[in-house]
Amino acid sequence: MTIPVPARPKFQDPQIEMAHGAGGKASRRLVEDLIAPILLNCGEPLGDAAQLGIGGTWIAMTADSFVVSPLRFPGGSIGHLAVNGTVNDLAVSGAKPEALLVTFVIEAGLSSWELEAEIEAIASAASRARVVVVGGDTKVVEHGKADRLYITTAGIGRPLPSMRLAADSVRPGDKILVSGPIGDHGVTILLARGGLDLEADLVSDTRSVFPLVESLAEAAGAGVRWMRDPTRGGVATSLNELARDAQICVVLDEAAIPVRDEVRGACELLGLDPLHIANEGQFIAVVARQYANEALQAVLNTWGGERAAIIGEIREHPAATVLCNTGYGGSRVIDMLVGDPLPRIC
Amino acid sequence: MTIPVPARPKFQDPQIEMAHGAGGKASRRLVEDLIAPILLNCGEPLGDAAQLGIGGTWIAMTADSFVVSPLRFPGGSIGHLAVNGTVNDLAVSGAKPEALLVTFVIEAGLSSWELEAEIEAIASAASRARVVVVGGDTKVVEHGKADRLYITTAGIGRPLPSMRLAADSVRPGDKILVSGPIGDHGVTILLARGGLDLEADLVSDTRSVFPLVESLAEAAGAGVRWMRDPTRGGVATSLNELARDAQICVVLDEAAIPVRDEVRGACELLGLDPLHIANEGQFIAVVARQYANEALQAVLNTWGGERAAIIGEIREHPAATVLCNTGYGGSRVIDMLVGDPLPRIC
């Protein structure tokens, strides 16, 4: 066995800024240039969940911290996000979510009813996502040393035997499927913070995507090459990561991307691109061309997948690039998220 | 299958205070009266790690958040604690630690070298504890919304086949073993905060106890009834939980409890009891009487277990009580930790 010599961290930023937590370029630099070289036995691209063999059984495991502000927003709360976020990381790694651990960091002074509301939210989201909460931990810090409540969830699941997901299995001609309208969560949070003279009839999309993934796996499991839930940094960031990891080009068809009018309108006013906005209840999948129709039909026919769409395809060149064909016959390059226009979105 | 009807939470405290995070009575009330009734499929006493069957294999899993202040202290740092704390929760549940997930909540403005130092600490502690870090997550919050760095670790392990641990298997006559001197971690943190006109040549005991647990399991696995790592709230709190869960009496022999002079001295000056001080590299085990000598010898003969001792035994009455026989022929009742004399100790 050859043990790889870890590279020296080449992270150059002198301190950690909000952008390092935004899920875009700075986040990737922090993980790839500082954390992974020291911590992970890597070489492989970083996925949403790790798989490991334990006692002859393969399991998937993942963990996420949640620091969303405000704690409650239309369509959900930090407790819902904490369950669904971790459940979705397992789902898009091709695993059936089974059990969760939940830890709380509480700012002293949080009212007990607010905490109770979030515990209820966790219980309700876990029940809907069909996972059990098996344990956790609680810490309290002084007033002013947290923002009311942070939650971390760790999840464990069983890999679905029908799916083998890897960025390097993606091929030119493969199709890109999205499970539903994008940007709902990020714009909902932005509006919930107030301060903008904007209102919209919009709720977060926070939910477990596992039922959709399961339908996809049953109908077209062998044809699914790669999946991701486009949270921080949005669809644009996830697809840029794919384009880079697989050294391919992603070409999107702008007209095919499902975006609610409320999201499109808010983004236009604020100068944001829906492709950069966080989602908490959608996934994107790359599916082999010959499976694409069955895959789409399977998701469309599953409750909550009614607005799924094929939004683009994979090409060979230019490698490591995401392009979007606009309605006017032109195309534009879609970059990863840069900076942090929407801090603490999850 | 009968689904138990969850009890309504009976938690009465109007808001969350520091004491709810201290590991003592208030913490237990928060967990038992608010969190568990809503969240956990319980009925069973809450242990340090949950065991679940997945694909025919039993695994142990646990998660803990770490908010220690200061981040670095003699003998270790938050990164070491975050690894060893989770590893030890697995170990004292009778499992061999295998893999960790690590998530960071970072206060914007943290210097990159401080973060790098903690990532190095995690890597080094994981390597020493023979676990792999397989993934994680990073979030950043605004300056003033955290205290530099909080870390959450989730761990997974394999139950050791030789041990079946349960509070209700504890019997009168069983012996209580401690792996080494108590109180080092808590007093080290207290002194590291300064402000007290005290100095001592003392370092945190943060380490993996798994090598000691493994020796114990090999020598006397069938005789080990219960284990716990006495962190927040100290030995007194862990043993009170045992006494309550098992409805037995724990009788300690004060003279037999290993305590360093520096810890004893600091506790006397500050009016604290070493039995209430947090440990981060010790465990207590209840061992059947006929296995007690082998158990003690096994730990004594393992590197790092040289100061292990039998510190007391189990009696039938008075149930749900911890007593300590003092050097003067008397005995005193040892209660759980009340309040939070040592906030953010881990």
Side-chain angles (χ1 to χ4, degrees):
Chain A
M1 193 175 87
T2 319
I3 297 169
V5 178
R8 269 303 304 159
K10 55 184 182 185
F11 188 72
Q12 296 292 339
D13 306 5
Q15 62 179 29
I16 307 304
E17 308 287 0
M18 293 302 288
H20 292 110
K25 280 198 174 175
S27 294
R28 189 158 170 122
R29 217 162 54 234
L30 173 62
V31 172
E32 291 189 350
D33 295 350
L34 183 61
I35 299 178
I38 304 176
L39 218 49
L40 304 178
N41 305 339
C42 58
E44 346 166 17
L46 305 162
D48 280 312
Q51 296 208 357
L52 66 158
I54 189 160
T57 301
W58 279 91
I59 61 169
M61 62 188 296
T62 187
D64 266 296
S65 291
F66 296 84
V67 299
V68 68
S69 170
L71 292 184
R72 303 187 78 80
F73 42 82
S77 72
I78 190 172
H80 297 101
L81 284 194
V83 170
N84 293 332
T86 290
V87 159
N88 290 346
D89 280 347
L90 291 169
V92 299
S93 79
K96 179 176 188 298
E98 300 266 2
L100 293 184
L101 297 161
V102 183
T103 75
F104 301 93
V105 173
I106 305 171
E107 184 188 13
L110 182 75
S111 73
S112 298
W113 70 262
E114 281 181 289
L115 180 59
E116 182 173 343
E118 293 317 315
I119 299 169
E120 296 275 11
I122 290 166
S124 141
S127 159
R128 260 186 253 177
R130 297 175 184 276
V131 291
V132 289
V133 176
V134 294
D137 181 42
T138 305
K139 293 291 190 315
V140 182
V141 296
E142 299 87 346
H143 185 66
K145 301 295 188 189
D147 195 3
R148 299 166 76 204
L149 179 62
Y150 301 144
I151 301 179
T152 300
T153 44
I156 196 165
R158 284 190 72 180
L160 297 168
S162 57
M163 289 209 277
R164 289 279 167 277
L165 306 172
D168 59 14
S169 70
V170 169
R171 296 283 173 270
D174 290 353
K175 299 292 183 185
I176 296 153
L177 183 154
V178 68
S179 59
I182 65 169
D184 290 9
H185 177 74
V187 172
T188 299
I189 296 292
L190 200 62
L191 299 181
R193 285 186 190 151
L196 298 169
D197 202 13
L198 271 180
E199 278 184 42
D201 191 13
L202 194 64
V203 297
S204 167
D205 58 2
T206 181
R207 61 170 175 172
S208 163
V209 298
F210 182 70
L212 301 172
V213 168
E214 197 174 26
S215 298
L216 179 64
E218 281 167 13
V224 182
R225 319 269 209 197
W226 178 92
M227 280 195 289
R228 194 64 63 92
D229 67 322
T231 58
R232 287 180 292 178
V235 169
T237 299
S238 294
L239 290 178
N240 267 281
E241 291 184 344
L242 169 65
R244 236 190 62 168
D245 293 340
Q247 285 297 306
I248 47 79
C249 173
V250 174
V251 183
L252 297 176
D253 173 9
E254 189 156 61
I257 302 170
V259 183
R260 290 184 208 281
D261 291 343
E262 295 83 352
V263 170
R264 196 183 302 281
C267 283
E268 274 172 18
L269 278 167
L270 298 166
L272 298 169
D273 186 334
L275 288 167
H276 282 131
I277 308 290
N279 311 278
E280 292 289 339
Q282 307 301 339
F283 68 86
I284 35 179
V286 173
V287 184
R289 184 205 299 259
Q290 65 271 31
Y291 287 90
N293 280 337
E294 287 154 83
L296 178 61
Q297 285 308 320
V299 179
L300 286 172
N301 291 337
T302 304
W303 195 82
E306 301 79 5
R307 291 196 62 188
I310 301 289
I311 61 169
E313 64 174 21
I314 305 296
R315 294 200 193 145
E316 198 166 352
H317 301 293
T321 306
V322 179
L323 299 175
C324 187
N325 288 332
T326 61
Y328 310 101
S331 78
R332 57 190 176 104
V333 173
I334 306 289
D335 204 350
M336 292 176 85
L337 181 71
V338 177
D340 190 6
L342 296 169
R344 296 178 55 194
I345 209 76
C346 62
Chain B
M1 193 174 88
T2 320
I3 295 170
V5 178
R8 269 305 302 160
K10 54 184 181 182
F11 187 71
Q12 296 293 341
D13 306 5
Q15 61 178 31
I16 307 302
E17 308 288 1
M18 293 301 289
H20 291 111
K25 279 198 173 173
S27 294
R28 189 157 169 123
R29 215 161 55 232
L30 173 63
V31 172
E32 291 190 348
D33 295 350
L34 183 61
I35 299 178
I38 304 177
L39 218 48
L40 304 178
N41 304 339
C42 58
E44 346 167 17
L46 305 163
D48 280 313
Q51 295 208 358
L52 66 158
I54 189 160
T57 301
W58 279 90
I59 60 168
M61 62 188 293
T62 186
D64 266 296
S65 291
F66 295 85
V67 299
V68 67
S69 170
L71 292 185
R72 303 187 78 80
F73 43 81
S77 72
I78 190 172
H80 297 101
L81 284 194
V83 170
N84 293 332
T86 290
V87 159
N88 290 345
D89 279 348
L90 291 170
V92 299
S93 79
K96 179 176 188 298
E98 300 266 1
L100 293 183
L101 297 161
V102 182
T103 75
F104 302 93
V105 173
I106 305 170
E107 184 187 13
L110 182 76
S111 73
S112 298
W113 70 261
E114 281 180 289
L115 180 59
E116 182 173 342
E118 292 317 315
I119 299 170
E120 296 276 11
I122 290 167
S124 143
S127 160
R128 260 187 254 176
R130 298 174 183 275
V131 291
V132 290
V133 176
V134 295
D137 182 42
T138 305
K139 292 292 190 313
V140 183
V141 296
E142 299 87 345
H143 184 66
K145 300 293 188 190
D147 195 3
R148 299 166 76 205
L149 179 62
Y150 301 144
I151 301 179
T152 300
T153 43
I156 195 166
R158 283 191 72 180
L160 296 169
S162 58
M163 289 209 277
R164 290 279 168 276
L165 305 173
D168 59 14
S169 69
V170 169
R171 295 283 172 270
D174 290 352
K175 299 293 183 185
I176 296 154
L177 183 155
V178 68
S179 60
I182 66 170
D184 291 8
H185 177 74
V187 172
T188 299
I189 297 292
L190 201 61
L191 299 181
R193 285 184 191 152
L196 298 169
D197 203 13
L198 271 182
E199 277 185 41
D201 191 13
L202 195 65
V203 298
S204 166
D205 58 2
T206 180
R207 62 171 174 172
S208 162
V209 298
F210 182 71
L212 301 172
V213 168
E214 197 174 27
S215 298
L216 179 64
E218 280 166 15
V224 182
R225 319 268 209 199
W226 178 93
M227 280 194 290
R228 194 64 64 91
D229 68 321
T231 57
R232 287 180 293 177
V235 169
T237 299
S238 294
L239 290 178
N240 267 282
E241 291 184 344
L242 170 64
R244 235 190 63 168
D245 292 340
Q247 286 297 307
I248 47 78
C249 173
V250 173
V251 183
L252 297 176
D253 172 9
E254 189 156 60
I257 302 170
V259 184
R260 290 184 208 280
D261 291 343
E262 296 83 352
V263 170
R264 197 183 302 280
C267 283
E268 274 172 17
L269 278 167
L270 298 165
L272 297 169
D273 186 335
L275 288 167
H276 283 130
I277 307 291
N279 310 279
E280 291 289 339
Q282 307 301 339
F283 68 86
I284 34 180
V286 173
V287 184
R289 184 205 300 258
Q290 65 272 32
Y291 286 90
N293 280 337
E294 287 154 83
L296 178 62
Q297 284 308 320
V299 179
L300 286 171
N301 292 336
T302 304
W303 194 83
E306 301 78 6
R307 292 196 62 187
I310 302 288
I311 60 169
E313 64 175 22
I314 305 296
R315 293 199 193 146
E316 198 164 352
H317 301 291
T321 307
V322 178
L323 299 175
C324 187
N325 289 331
T326 62
Y328 310 101
S331 77
R332 57 191 175 103
V333 173
I334 306 289
D335 204 351
M336 291 176 84
L337 182 71
V338 177
D340 190 6
L342 296 169
R344 294 177 58 192
I345 209 76
C346 61

